[in-house]
Amino acid sequence: MGVRFRKYFPQCKGKRNAGDKYGKVVEKGIECEGKRGKHCPEGVSLPCGAWAIDYRETDGRWVSKVFPGISRTEARERLEDIRSNIRRGMIGLPQTRKTPSLKDYTKKYLEFSKGDKENTLLAKKRAINVLAQYLGDYRLDKITTFIIEKFRIERREKDKVKDSVINQDIAILTHLYNTAIKEGVIDKTPCQNVKRLKTAQTKDRILSQPEIALLLEKLQGKDRLMILVGLFTGLRLGGVLGLSWANIDLNKGLITSNHKTGKIISIPISDYLAGELLKWKEANTGDRPFTNGKITQNTIIRHSEYFSKLFNGLGIQNFTFHNLRHTFASILQAELGIGAIVVQGMTGHSSLGMLQKYSHTGMDSKKIAINALTEHVLNQKDKSTPKTVFAIAQ
């Protein structure tokens, strides 16, 4: 048994007696271990070979396995694993488990993740592709904290990605290892000592009053209405696209939507927005106001990119549809002084312990807040209403 560097080119291998495959070497080959030198034939790539493991099975058969991309040390470690399993087999013990490479295990990991939500599965697939590219050839038990740190440096310097994206990659890698531990494939994870990279807190981009006026003046049709719904309800883009007319009660002035957490939220709408929706409904038939078909993550991404280009074309830089949600909350709280509980009751966030209690009983406060927001955005001459209702909407 042993390891050897198997060369790919006949010029480097040396020669034996004719027809004697395992006999004495009569012409020694070049001992290069894949390193380029003056002796290399023209056109030879680097490296020009790979480490191979030669061993004899218990039935007497000689086996030679080639492992491209591994070092001599790793080849010796694999040979020792093989020797150990052969000895165990000779005395009737079961073979020790074979630890897969990260690339091999990612296939099983994604099989386990099939039941995840679509956006979660897409995020995992993206990270897995990157991890397989950088770490795929390593066995799971051979990846160390140092190797992960090196991976993070390369992602930042070579791929020029943000630290927040690198943190997502490591989070997926950690979950993959935890899955492998539960399955019994490995015993420990190298991720436990890897700390998250610190990411700078960026201020959420919100629309200024002139930018709002520009949108209302320049946009028409569905684009304008979708932006009005996003601005006056705080719904995410997926929530706006997923609306059906059954979710919109124009008589009561109420929109009902499923939050991404699965919770149903009810948001009052102003007479102005209700009137805009009614005009759109009269001119457009169908069960849904904005799009038909299933709302997938790809659908949301496609519409998000469309609106980002739309905003940019109007001179509103670094703004996305999701920023309408930030504008909604910012105007209500920072400019109109509406209480956080009322605002979060409409956005669907649940970070406040009292939110669930107030999200149903505070509908009057929500209506007051929405009307105040509408008048503020449309810059009505009579601004007395917003000033007199703040105490109620707290």
Side-chain angles (χ1 to χ4, degrees):
M1 293 186 181
V3 299
R4 63 188 175 90
F5 193 83
R6 180 182 287 183
K7 299 165 187 175
Y8 294 156
F9 293 89
Q11 301 96 313
C12 306
K13 292 181 179 180
K15 293 182 180 179
R16 290 183 168 87
N17 290 324
D20 190 352
K21 187 175 180 180
Y22 301 107
K24 183 178 179 180
V25 175
V26 296
E27 183 180 327
K28 194 173 182 180
I30 299 172
E31 295 181 2
C32 64
E33 296 187 359
K35 296 179 182 177
R36 182 176 296 282
K38 295 179 180 179
H39 50 266
C40 291
E42 186 177 351
V44 173
S45 59
L46 182 68
C48 65
W51 284 100
I53 299 173
D54 299 328
Y55 63 95
R56 190 189 294 275
E57 287 281 9
T58 53
D59 59 5
R61 291 180 298 110
W62 273 99
V63 178
S64 182
K65 291 186 177 180
V66 179
F67 299 93
I70 69 171
S71 65
R72 186 201 310 223
T73 300
E74 290 172 317
R76 286 175 174 169
E77 289 175 352
R78 296 193 185 192
L79 175 60
E80 189 54 42
D81 290 341
I82 292 171
R83 281 175 173 164
S84 175
N85 280 326
I86 289 175
R87 294 190 198 103
R88 294 172 68 86
M90 291 174 68
I91 59 177
L93 293 177
Q95 291 192 353
T96 56
R97 65 190 178 199
K98 181 181 179 181
T99 305
S101 67
L102 184 138
K103 184 182 294 184
D104 289 337
Y105 191 72
T106 55
K107 300 172 185 176
K108 182 178 286 188
Y109 175 71
L110 290 176
E111 284 290 326
F112 290 147
S113 303
K114 277 187 174 179
D116 292 348
K117 292 182 178 179
E118 184 181 8
N119 57 342
T120 302
L121 185 57
L122 287 172
K124 285 184 177 181
K125 287 181 177 179
R126 180 206 60 79
I128 287 300
N129 287 336
V130 173
L131 293 167
Q133 177 186 347
Y134 281 90
L135 308 174
D137 291 334
Y138 288 100
R139 276 173 29 188
L140 287 178
D141 58 346
K142 296 301 180 183
I143 296 178
T144 64
T145 303
F146 175 79
I147 291 174
I148 296 175
E149 292 294 348
K150 182 182 176 183
F151 160 75
R152 297 206 297 189
I153 293 171
E154 289 180 348
R155 284 286 279 155
R156 181 187 288 162
E157 296 182 354
K158 180 180 176 182
D159 297 342
K160 307 297 183 183
V161 300
K162 297 179 181 179
D163 287 350
S164 58
V165 176
I166 299 174
N167 284 338
Q168 292 173 8
D169 294 341
I170 301 303
I172 300 298
L173 180 63
T174 301
H175 190 257
L176 181 146
Y177 265 97
N178 291 339
T179 303
I181 291 173
K182 291 178 181 178
E183 195 189 357
V185 175
I186 52 174
D187 299 318
K188 58 182 181 179
T189 172
C191 302
Q192 59 187 13
N193 295 321
V194 179
K195 296 182 179 179
R196 287 175 59 87
L197 297 172
K198 292 183 179 180
T199 55
Q201 295 293 327
T202 57
K203 186 177 181 181
D204 291 328
R205 172 80 159 88
I206 63 172
L207 288 172
S208 64
Q209 193 64 34
E211 288 174 333
I212 293 175
L214 177 66
L215 288 175
L216 296 179
E217 177 187 351
K218 296 293 184 181
L219 297 182
Q220 299 294 328
K222 185 173 74 171
D223 292 344
R224 185 177 190 274
L225 185 58
M226 286 185 67
I227 288 172
L228 286 177
V229 173
L231 182 60
F232 288 148
T233 67
L235 285 175
R236 292 177 172 84
L237 178 55
V240 175
L241 290 170
L243 285 175
S244 67
W245 289 115
N247 303 133
I248 305 172
D249 191 330
L250 295 175
N251 293 325
K252 293 182 179 179
L254 200 66
I255 284 180
T256 303
S257 175
N258 288 321
H259 188 254
K260 69 174 185 177
T261 61
K263 181 174 59 180
I264 296 177
I265 56 174
S266 296
I267 306 169
I269 55 177
S270 63
D271 292 341
Y272 172 80
L273 182 56
E276 293 295 306
L277 286 165
L278 180 59
K279 286 189 290 185
W280 182 256
K281 184 177 183 181
E282 291 173 347
N284 296 271
T285 59
D287 296 329
R288 293 164 64 175
F290 301 123
T291 187
N292 295 316
K294 185 179 179 181
I295 307 301
T296 66
Q297 189 67 16
N298 287 334
T299 305
I300 297 171
I301 292 172
R302 187 172 66 253
H303 279 82
S304 178
E305 292 173 348
Y306 169 78
F307 277 105
S308 295
K309 291 178 181 178
L310 180 67
F311 293 133
N312 189 63
L314 292 173
I316 302 175
Q317 308 294 331
N318 301 318
F319 195 81
T320 67
F321 193 96
H322 191 78
N323 292 128
L324 293 172
R325 180 174 170 84
H326 302 318
T327 304
F328 169 83
S330 178
I331 292 177
L332 284 174
Q333 291 185 268
E335 299 186 34
L336 298 178
I338 305 300
I341 291 176
V342 175
V343 175
Q344 293 195 14
M346 290 184 284
T347 59
H349 292 134
S350 55
S351 58
L352 294 179
M354 295 289 288
L355 176 58
Q356 193 61 38
K357 176 181 177 181
Y358 285 92
S359 62
H360 299 292
T361 59
M363 188 57 68
D364 289 340
S365 295
K366 292 178 185 179
K367 289 181 179 178
I368 293 171
I370 289 297
N371 286 326
L373 170 67
T374 304
E375 291 190 15
H376 178 84
V377 169
L378 298 179
N379 199 21
Q380 298 289 330
K381 292 181 180 180
D382 182 9
K383 298 182 180 180
S384 58
T385 303
K387 293 179 181 178
T388 58
V389 299
F390 295 158
I392 302 176
Q394 297 295 319

